[in-house]
Amino acid sequence: MPGDRPSPLDGVDPEELARFQAGIRRRHAPEQILEELRACAARVGRSPTMREFAADPQTTVHPQTVIEHFGTWNRAKRRAGLVPRRFATREELLGLLRDLGEQLGRAPTARDLDERRGRLPSKSLYGHMFGSLGNALREAGFDVPLGSDRLERAIGQGVALSRQLGRLPRFADWAEARRADASLYTEWQVYRMFESRRGAWSTFQFLIAKRLEAAGETLSTDGRLGRA
């Protein structure tokens, strides 16, 4: 009867099958597969899903081949230095921040994450997991001041830059100084400390001026130091 026909799998020798599968896997070196994952991530701008990887016309490996080599899709992405988009653990996310901080020599910023899209998680994922990127950085061991502490530090940076420039810093001055000194807050971080409201930068300049005056400095009406 048709139902009694032997299955083509019935006579398969498991050891012979394993040798055949191993030979198939050797046709794609693990590092080649990992490089294809990284290249695909760079093209799509994020850690790719299996569907995105399969749809990428420049990939030469099928997602199933990736899984056969590494066990799971997410394990392969971790080996490639990519973070699984939905299954990253808190400790993995914190570890990536610590690694990036070690590379940069400072606490990472949202801009640092944006510049590494596809290789690192987005700031929105950190916000979802930890409440904010700042919370994640603090949990990872970085010195990230809260609220008034951040503003206090920014004012101190503004005082130092004012003395260097001989006047209160303008927005463009700060941007240029930040490019030379990554320890400074970015101009936009300072701006957002005042909730990005109208007059935010002049309010910041006012606070710097008051701090300079308290230290015995004199300022002219146009913000230059050393003039009455």
Side-chain angles (χ1 to χ4, degrees):
M1 295 178 63
D4 296 328
R5 290 177 184 172
S7 167
L9 294 172
D10 289 345
V12 171
D13 181 337
E15 292 184 3
E16 184 180 1
L17 174 61
R19 287 194 297 271
F20 176 83
Q21 290 172 330
I24 289 291
R25 285 195 291 271
R26 279 197 294 271
R27 296 178 191 175
H28 296 94
E31 188 52 43
Q32 175 198 348
I33 295 174
L34 297 178
E35 187 53 43
E36 292 223 10
L37 280 168
R38 296 182 192 111
C40 178
R43 286 189 289 272
V44 301
R46 57 184 175 271
S47 181
T49 63
M50 290 176 64
R51 180 174 295 180
E52 288 169 334
F53 187 79
D56 184 345
Q58 296 188 50
T59 58
T60 63
V61 180
H62 192 275
Q64 190 58 42
T65 303
V66 178
I67 293 171
E68 287 176 359
H69 271 75
F70 297 97
T72 69
W73 180 252
N74 285 328
R75 187 177 300 160
K77 291 207 289 187
R78 289 187 178 97
R79 286 281 301 276
L82 305 171
V83 178
R85 282 154 62 177
R86 289 183 292 174
F87 302 104
T89 66
R90 288 175 68 91
E91 194 51 45
E92 283 177 325
L93 292 172
L94 294 174
L96 288 165
L97 282 179
R98 294 183 189 111
D99 290 345
L100 179 57
E102 188 173 337
Q103 294 171 26
L104 297 171
R106 57 174 170 79
T109 65
R111 180 179 294 180
D112 294 323
L113 296 181
D114 288 341
E115 290 173 350
R116 292 162 177 80
R117 282 188 64 193
R119 292 186 291 122
L120 288 177
S122 66
K123 57 182 179 289
S124 61
L125 178 57
Y126 281 103
H128 175 72
M129 292 285 282
F130 298 92
S132 70
L133 176 58
N135 289 342
L137 288 166
R138 279 186 285 275
E139 193 166 329
F142 293 101
D143 178 21
V144 181
L146 289 164
S148 60
D149 291 335
R150 294 177 73 242
L151 180 55
E152 186 66 31
R153 180 177 292 185
I155 293 170
Q157 292 176 344
V159 167
L161 183 56
S162 296
R163 287 172 173 153
Q164 181 182 330
L165 296 171
R167 56 178 167 76
L168 295 175
R170 303 184 184 96
F171 193 85
D173 296 326
W174 197 280
E176 184 176 351
R178 175 61 170 74
R179 285 192 288 271
D181 182 359
S183 69
L184 289 176
Y185 288 117
T186 69
E187 63 276 19
W188 292 109
Q189 284 176 315
V190 174
Y191 192 68
R192 285 192 290 270
M193 290 179 195
F194 299 90
E195 300 177 354
S196 304
R197 60 177 176 263
R198 186 176 181 181
W201 196 261
S202 59
T203 302
F204 181 50
Q205 289 177 313
F206 173 79
L207 295 175
I208 295 171
K210 299 304 287 184
R211 186 63 53 83
L212 286 165
E213 289 171 355
E217 302 273 5
T218 56
L219 288 90
S220 65
T221 54
D222 63 357
R224 295 186 179 277
L225 275 67
R227 296 182 183 179

